[in-house]
Amino acid sequence: KLIEQGVTDTNISFSNASENFRFASSVAGFGMLLRDSKFKNDLTAKEVMRIAKGAKGKDEEGYRAEFVTLVEKYSLLSK
């Protein structure tokens, strides 16, 4: 079933976006690094870690901390 929803640009800066949005963007960015996407531009593992750590939030289950650890390991292996 097709569901459509309009999106309004409210001009919120990335730094003022929700923790969930910022963390999700770090996960998407990491995926681009892994695939060596042409859309990653100058994104680095260090930048992905910075965004993820800044948006870790409460992280009751520890999944976000585990993601940061995964990116750190990737960064070490890719050198």
Side-chain angles (χ1 to χ4, degrees), residues 3 14 25 31-32 40 46 48 51 58 64-65 76 78:
I3 299 174
F14 184 74
S25 70
M32 287 185 198
K40 70 178 171 31
K46 184 176 180 180
V48 169
I51 294 168
K58 199 169 182 179
R64 292 182 180 200
L76 292 172
S78 65

Side-chain angles (χ1 to χ4, degrees), residues 11-50:
N11 290 322
I12 296 174
S13 68
F14 184 74
S15 60
N16 290 329
S18 71
E19 285 179 342
N20 288 335
F21 181 86
R22 289 182 287 126
F23 190 82
S25 70
S26 71
V27 173
F30 185 54
M32 287 185 198
L33 289 178
L34 290 174
R35 297 181 61 104
D36 195 26
S37 170
K38 65 181 180 180
F39 301 107
K40 70 178 171 31
N41 295 324
D42 59 351
L43 184 67
T44 63
K46 184 176 180 180
E47 181 67 9
V48 169
M49 282 189 290
R50 186 191 66 77

